[in-house]
């Protein structure tokens, strides 16, 4: 069965992905900053992994090497969202968002590949957001939340560049918007007031769609930016892209 690494698996989408892959019988490595509350079948927990720290990649590689396995799929879903406005930008929040979203993944992927833990045919999925699409930003949404949007745009660029670096090795890199979710993260920044009107789904629902998408994703689509659940929760999609949009939906940069 496939070997799956979920980076950022303590809650939300990462936790749901780990559980779904484990139920499928896959071998799952689930990383988080803290110890899990309880062990689960088919899941090996790797704690003390902070994507915002330079040593996250080397720590992960050391753990995976001890298992004497190579990885078929790596999903990096760790994130942080600190709200900002033009009147109150936050230097600290922006640095943390950029480091977690777009700097950390470079070093994690570098360590895993350089340690021989990803072979030809393996996949790397970077969990971004439609909020990182410059094209989809619209006057109706206004500005603000600079670090959130721009760090996701930076992650999209990272994904594209990694896809170019890794294509000759046969490693596919995908960038995804998994959906607007009913999570503690979105609730914590006050976005729960948009859950119903915005079509927010549970992490389990988003994970189910993403698992199906990843199964079909391969090197032919490497470097592309997708919304596996389509446009249903992207408020500006029709205004910018028009009607009768497909699912899954390839997103514009």
């Amino acid at each position: 069965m496939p070997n799956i690494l979920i980076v950022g698996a303590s809650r939300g989408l990462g936790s749901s992905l780990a559980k779904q892959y484990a139920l499928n019988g896959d071998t799952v490595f689930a990383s988080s900053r803290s110890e899990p509350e309880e062990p689960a079948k088919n899941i090996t927990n790797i704690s003390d992994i902070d994507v915002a720290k330079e040593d996250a990649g080397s720590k992960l590689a050391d753990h995976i090497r001890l298992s004497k396995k190579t990885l078929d799929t790596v999903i990096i879903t760790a994130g942080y969202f600190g709200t900002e406005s033009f009147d109150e930008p936050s230097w600290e929040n922006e640095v943390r968002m950029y480091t977690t979203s777009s700097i950390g993944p470079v070093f994690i992927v570098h360590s895993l590949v350089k340690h021989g833990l990803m072979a030809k045919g393996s996949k790397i999925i970077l969990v971004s957001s439609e909020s990182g699409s410059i094209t989809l930003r619209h006057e109706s949404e206004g500005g603000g939340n600079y670090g959130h949007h721009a760090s996701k745009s930076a992650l999209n660029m990272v994904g594209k560049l990694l896809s170019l670096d890794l294509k000759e090795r046969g490693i596919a890199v995908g960038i995804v918007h998994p959906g607007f979710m009913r999570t503690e993260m979105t609730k914590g920044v006050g976005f729960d007031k948009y859950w119903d009107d915005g079509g927010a789904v549970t992490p389990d629902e988003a994970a189910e769609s993403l698992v199906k998408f990843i199964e079909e994703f391969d090197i032919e689509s490497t470097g592309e930016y997708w919304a596996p659940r389509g446009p249903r929760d992207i408020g500006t999609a029709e205004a910018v892209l028009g009607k009768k949009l497909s699912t899954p939906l390839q997103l514009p940069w």
Side-chain angles (χ1 to χ4, degrees):
M1 299 301 288
N3 301 314
I4 315 292
L5 170 63
I6 313 290
V7 181
S10 61
R11 59 181 182 170
L13 178 65
S15 176
S16 292
L17 285 167
K19 291 171 184 174
Q20 287 201 28
Y21 277 115
L23 285 173
N24 291 343
D26 299 330
T27 298
V28 178
F29 297 93
S31 85
S32 60
R33 286 183 297 168
S34 57
E35 290 283 352
E37 293 182 2
E38 57 185 42
K41 185 179 179 182
N42 293 337
I43 298 179
T44 299
N45 293 292
I46 306 173
S47 60
D48 194 29
I49 302 295
D50 185 345
V51 175
K53 302 294 185 183
E54 187 176 356
D55 63 356
S58 58
K59 282 185 175 180
L60 281 170
D62 287 344
H63 279 279
I64 304 300
R65 288 170 67 194
L66 289 174
S67 72
K68 301 189 184 302
K69 297 180 185 295
T70 56
L71 298 167
D72 297 288
T73 300
V74 173
I75 305 172
I76 302 180
T77 186
Y80 170 71
F81 190 164
T83 56
E84 302 174 280
S85 68
F86 180 74
D87 291 329
E88 295 185 28
S90 171
W91 184 280
E92 182 179 358
N93 283 351
E94 287 207 21
V95 169
R96 184 174 174 187
M97 283 184 274
Y98 276 105
T99 305
T100 302
S101 291
S102 55
I103 298 175
V106 174
F107 290 85
I108 289 172
V109 172
H110 172 266
S111 290
L112 296 175
V113 172
K114 289 297 185 178
H115 282 89
L117 298 173
M118 304 199 70
K120 183 176 181 179
S122 58
K123 307 173 188 183
I124 297 167
I125 302 297
L126 304 176
V127 176
S128 182
S129 167
E130 60 85 15
S131 65
S133 168
I134 294 174
T135 301
L136 287 173
R137 303 287 55 80
H138 191 271
E139 188 175 4
S140 62
E141 289 189 327
N145 289 326
Y146 308 103
H148 172 64
H149 288 284
S151 66
K152 296 302 184 184
S153 294
L155 175 59
N156 293 347
M157 178 62 83
V158 162
K160 183 65 177 182
L161 296 174
L162 285 173
S163 76
L164 299 175
D165 285 330
L166 299 177
K167 190 170 185 179
E168 286 190 1
R169 297 174 183 260
I171 300 173
V173 180
I175 306 108
V176 299
H177 163 66
F180 180 33
M181 287 177 282
R182 299 171 182 262
T183 63
E184 289 301 315
M185 180 181 288
T186 57
K187 184 178 181 180
V189 295
F191 280 20
D192 51 326
K193 63 186 177 185
Y194 303 121
W195 281 354
D196 292 336
D197 290 342
V201 297
T202 67
D204 285 348
E205 290 172 305
E208 183 178 1
S209 301
L210 185 52
V211 168
K212 290 178 181 177
F213 174 82
I214 293 171
E215 187 176 345
E216 299 296 325
F217 180 79
D218 60 23
I219 197 71
E220 295 301 316
S221 299
T222 192
E224 294 179 354
Y225 177 30
W226 285 86
R229 296 183 59 81
R232 70 189 81 178
D233 65 351
I234 302 174
T236 62
E238 288 193 353
V240 175
L241 304 176
K243 298 183 183 296
K244 296 183 179 179
L245 299 170
S246 62
T247 298
L249 176 66
Q250 186 172 0
L251 296 177
W253 303 111

